[in-house]
């Protein structure tokens, strides 16, 4: 539906990141949601083409970001929280708050992102929802019914118990946040992941927070440019355009952009190059006038995903 009188301004679906300690069930949760909320013939074809995908719940599209739990990916988890509109903090009912849970809480708090606690593994022997809420309280996370206002949903990512309620809560929080997106505007968002394919060249997965991206557009991310030669949705299907908040993979960058970089879209290469020059000047200024590091200049990026 349109919001107000501004043409193209729509209420868009939320972008959701799932964070938490390793082995607390983040991947199992995402797998369950994906398999039960993507159209059956499509779900069977998904082989984690990219680390993001869309599901439909209550007529609303929700974009999920799959973020690794290992502590080596601390910086990426912080970026995931900043990119997302909502975060699901997964805490195992048989284990409670752990080191990476605390890191995730810190990232969420610093980014001021709304979040929902999902107490997972309630089906396991030894699971205790109340004890888990206590460990959360000790970490200064006060959930509803335990002295605070943070939504808390007990779930089992293995059996599916509580998952519909969790999706309902995501929709409710998204509604309260009144997320807007102008689908007729040039696309803008973040680089979620990037890599160098031996045959296809530099690839990047983008999260569109605003606007629509078309094949043929010029994308500028940091100091790098792509004339979009090919556009794929999260299923790996080629499309001619994609609108916010969809995740897409694009081909055509002149080098591998850095994950977490903001991107903007332009109709011509000249404007994109001007934008990149501005970004380079800002990068030098941030370094006190020092030259941009050679890894940046050469476009050599470690694929941390």
């Amino acid at each position: 539906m349109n919001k107000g009188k501004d043409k193209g301004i729509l209420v868009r679906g939320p972008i959701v990141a799932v964070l938490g300690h390793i082995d607390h069930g983040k991947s199992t949760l995402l797998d369950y949601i994906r398999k039960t909320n993507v159209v059956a013939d499509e779900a069977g074809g998904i082989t984690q083409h990219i680390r993001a995908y869309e599901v439909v719940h209550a007529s609303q599209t929700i974009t999920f970001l799959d973020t690794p739990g290992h502590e080596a990916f601390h910086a990426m988890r912080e970026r995931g929280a900043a990119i997302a509109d909502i975060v699901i903090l997964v805490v195992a009912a048989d284990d409670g708050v752990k080191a990476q849970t605390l890191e995730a809480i810190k990232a969420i708090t610093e980014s001021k992102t709304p979040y929902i606690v999902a107490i997972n593994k309630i089906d396991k022997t030894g699971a205790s929802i109340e004890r888990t809420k206590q460990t959360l309280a000790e970490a200064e996370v006060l959930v509803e019914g335990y002295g605070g206002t943070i939504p808390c949903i007990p779930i089992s990512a293995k059996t599916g118990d509580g998952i519909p309620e969790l999706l309902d809560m995501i929709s409710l929080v998204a509604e309260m946040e009144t997320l807007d997106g102008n689908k007729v505007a040039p696309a803008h968002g973040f680089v979620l992941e990037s890599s160098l394919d031996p045959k296809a060249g530099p690839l990047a997965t983008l999260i569109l927070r605003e606007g629509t991206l078309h094949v043929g557009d010029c994308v500028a991310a940091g100091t790098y440019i792509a004339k979009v030669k090919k556009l794929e949705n999260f299923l790996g299907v080629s499309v001619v355009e994609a609108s916010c908040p969809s995740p897409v993979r694009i081909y055509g960058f002149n080098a591998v952009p850095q994950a977490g970089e903001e991107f903007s879209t332009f109709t011509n290469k000249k404007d994109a190059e001007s934008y990149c020059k501005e970004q380079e000047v800002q990068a030098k200024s941030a370094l006190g006038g020092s030259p941009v590091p050679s890894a940046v200049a050469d476009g050599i990026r470690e694929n941390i995903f």
Side-chain angles (χ1 to χ4, degrees):
M1 62 180 173
N2 280 354
K3 185 171 184 178
K5 297 180 180 180
D6 296 330
K7 183 179 179 182
I9 302 295
L10 304 173
V11 177
R12 65 167 175 80
I15 299 168
V16 179
V18 179
L19 308 182
H21 191 72
I22 190 169
D23 293 332
H24 276 198
K26 297 180 302 298
S27 295
T28 306
L29 170 60
L30 285 165
D31 284 345
Y32 188 93
I33 292 172
R34 173 178 59 83
K35 291 174 182 177
T36 55
N37 289 272
V38 176
V39 178
D41 58 347
E42 294 179 338
I46 302 176
T47 55
Q48 204 62 41
H49 178 69
I50 57 179
R51 298 197 72 91
Y53 55 85
E54 296 178 330
V55 304
V56 176
H57 177 73
S59 301
Q60 180 184 56
T61 299
I62 303 172
T63 299
F64 282 94
L65 310 181
D66 185 359
T67 55
H70 191 274
E71 61 185 354
F73 298 99
H74 174 64
M76 195 277 283
R77 291 205 307 279
E78 289 183 324
R79 200 155 48 237
I83 293 171
D85 299 305
I86 301 169
V87 172
I88 298 173
L89 176 66
V90 177
V91 186
D94 64 336
D95 207 14
V97 171
K98 295 296 180 182
Q100 289 157 7
T101 316
L102 294 173
E103 290 180 12
I105 292 169
K106 182 174 182 289
I108 295 166
T109 303
E110 290 178 351
S111 68
K112 298 181 180 179
T113 307
Y115 68 107
I116 302 163
V117 173
I119 298 180
N120 190 27
K121 301 190 179 183
I122 60 173
D123 57 291
K124 292 195 68 174
T125 302
S128 172
I129 295 172
E130 291 305 310
R131 186 174 64 243
T132 305
K133 289 180 179 179
Q134 177 61 41
T135 63
L136 284 163
E138 291 168 359
E140 299 183 354
V141 175
L142 300 178
V143 300
E144 290 178 345
Y146 215 83
T149 60
I150 299 167
C152 179
I153 310 294
I155 67 167
S156 169
K158 182 178 179 181
T159 67
D161 287 349
I163 303 298
E165 290 79 6
L166 177 61
L167 294 173
D168 286 342
M169 183 57 70
I170 291 171
S171 296
L172 178 60
V173 173
E175 183 179 345
M176 294 173 62
E177 291 298 310
T178 59
L179 305 172
D180 294 339
N182 186 348
K183 295 195 176 183
V184 301
H188 177 83
F190 292 87
V191 177
L192 179 63
E193 59 183 338
S194 57
S195 62
L196 181 63
D197 186 276
K199 295 182 180 179
L203 306 176
T205 298
L206 309 181
I207 296 295
L208 279 59
R209 289 187 61 92
E210 181 83 352
T212 296
L213 181 64
H214 310 82
V215 170
D217 284 347
C218 289
V219 174
T223 58
Y224 304 131
I225 296 174
K227 176 78 170 180
V228 181
K229 298 185 293 186
K230 186 179 180 182
L231 193 61
E232 294 177 348
N233 65 16
F234 75 99
L235 294 166
V237 177
S238 293
V239 294
V240 296
E241 66 177 30
S243 298
C244 59
S246 294
V248 291
R249 171 173 283 180
I250 69 168
Y251 299 70
F253 268 103
N254 59 341
V256 180
Q258 185 174 17
E261 198 81 69
E262 286 191 58
F263 76 86
S264 293
T265 308
F266 304 88
T267 55
N268 61 77
K269 187 177 179 181
K270 184 177 179 181
D271 289 343
E273 289 175 339
S274 296
Y275 172 87
C276 287
K277 287 180 181 178
E278 292 176 5
Q279 297 301 303
E280 187 172 5
V281 170
Q282 291 179 16
K284 288 181 179 179
S285 177
L287 292 170
S290 302
V292 177
S294 59
V296 176
D298 296 338
I300 300 173
R301 304 288 191 182
E302 179 184 4
N303 177 18
I304 65 169
F305 293 82

